[in-house]
Amino acid sequence: DAGVTQSPTHLIKTRGQQVTLRCSPKSGHDTVSWYQQALGQGPQFIFQYYEEEERQRGNFPDRFSGHQFPNYSSELNVNALLLGDSALYLCASSQTGTGLYNEQFFGPGTRLTVL
Amino acid sequence: DQQVKQNSPSLSVQEGRISILNCDYTNSMFDYFLWYKKYPAEGPTFLISISSIKDKNEDGRFTVFLNKSAKHLSLHIVPSQPGDSAVYFCAASGAWGTDSWGKLQFGAGTQVVVTP
């Protein structure tokens, strides 16, 4: 049973560029959430996608956008990259409707470095 | 505004002894709490969770305790093993139907080192 997969594993960009990160959820999961983890900190919630729509959003600017496809996979796009966007980007998947609680399973992350 | 806090950045414990990790939260709307373990170069791995209707949940060597009145939870690992050396994150979310449902809020993590 494949878990959550993310690509690429590492990425180097320069300021002002745009980046797209990809995530495939765990088999049977229909909900994808994205988190940003800066060095020495816990993950910060960016947004969550369900039924191809953004359902929840954290305190991130509009430069951060996403998409969910009919097969439940998802993309995270960041425009006009800043040095402060350098972080580990984590994707988590879950199954909506299996109960009141939202247990999320994480992928290995994409390490983004902005120079 | 950090709503979930882990005030101990690191913990060193001998193999076979108990590891106790602590976590405090400020948002009284939080309804579900989780602990994750993270090794370098890997994503967080789910360990154990607890809902606000319980005060204790056990799974093998891992036990989570919740004190709602104090807005405090702890993770006990007994006995500690060298493979438990990792960063442990506490996370919380709101109940279904609330604004914070599905948005896991994490603490900064506690680095645990288990020595032989």
Side-chain angles (χ1 to χ4, degrees):
Chain A
D1 177 24
V4 180
T5 59
Q6 293 186 243
S7 63
T9 54
H10 294 87
L11 205 50
I12 299 175
K13 292 285 188 178
T14 57
R15 279 180 297 174
Q17 285 189 312
Q18 179 264 346
V19 68
T20 297
L21 311 181
R22 295 177 176 82
C23 171
S24 290
K26 184 177 168 65
S27 178
H29 285 184
D30 58 7
T31 303
V32 173
S33 304
W34 286 91
Y35 293 80
Q36 179 195 66
Q37 185 180 14
L39 205 59
Q41 298 182 22
Q44 299 288 316
F45 177 82
I46 303 175
F47 41 54
Q48 183 179 87
Y49 276 83
Y50 172 66
E51 291 188 338
E52 301 180 50
E53 290 192 359
E54 184 181 291
R55 178 162 67 180
Q56 292 273 39
R57 190 177 181 93
N59 295 325
F60 279 80
D62 292 344
R63 298 186 297 108
F64 289 77
S65 63
H67 189 79
Q68 186 179 35
F69 299 93
N71 67 353
Y72 309 121
S73 66
S74 176
E75 287 182 350
L76 164 66
N77 300 294
V78 186
N79 294 322
L81 284 166
L82 304 174
L83 295 179
D85 295 331
S86 294
L88 180 67
Y89 288 84
L90 294 162
C91 169
S93 74
S94 54
Q95 176 66 42
T96 293
T98 54
L100 296 176
Y101 305 110
N102 191 232
E103 188 173 293
Q104 298 182 15
F105 294 84
F106 285 82
T110 294
R111 171 72 60 188
L112 172 65
T113 302
V114 182
L115 301 177
Chain B
D1 178 25
Q2 191 73 10
Q3 299 186 49
V4 178
K5 296 179 182 178
Q6 294 176 256
N7 292 320
S8 298
S10 64
L11 174 69
S12 182
V13 64
Q14 275 190 317
E15 183 179 0
R17 306 293 291 269
I18 183 171
S19 294
I20 299 176
L21 292 82
N22 294 303
C23 177
D24 298 295
Y25 62 95
T26 57
N27 189 339
S28 58
M29 298 301 291
F30 285 150
D31 188 60
Y32 183 54
F33 305 88
L34 310 89
W35 285 93
Y36 286 86
K37 176 170 74 172
K38 188 178 185 302
Y39 294 118
E42 294 184 13
T45 301
F46 171 76
L47 271 178
I48 192 169
S49 62
I50 188 167
S51 70
S52 61
I53 61 173
K54 294 185 173 183
D55 55 18
K56 178 182 174 181
N57 189 27
E58 280 182 271
D59 185 0
R61 297 186 297 114
F62 303 93
T63 303
V64 57
F65 296 92
L66 176 63
N67 182 332
K68 282 195 69 177
S69 61
K71 295 190 179 67
H72 176 84
L73 63 155
S74 61
L75 174 69
H76 292 206
I77 307 173
V78 184
S80 299
Q81 301 174 352
D84 296 332
S85 296
V87 178
Y88 290 77
F89 291 99
C90 167
S93 74
W96 171 255
T98 66
D99 181 59
S100 57
W101 184 88
K103 293 179 182 178
L104 292 183
Q105 302 237 19
F106 284 82
T110 296
Q111 172 75 61
V112 173
V113 175
V114 180
T115 57

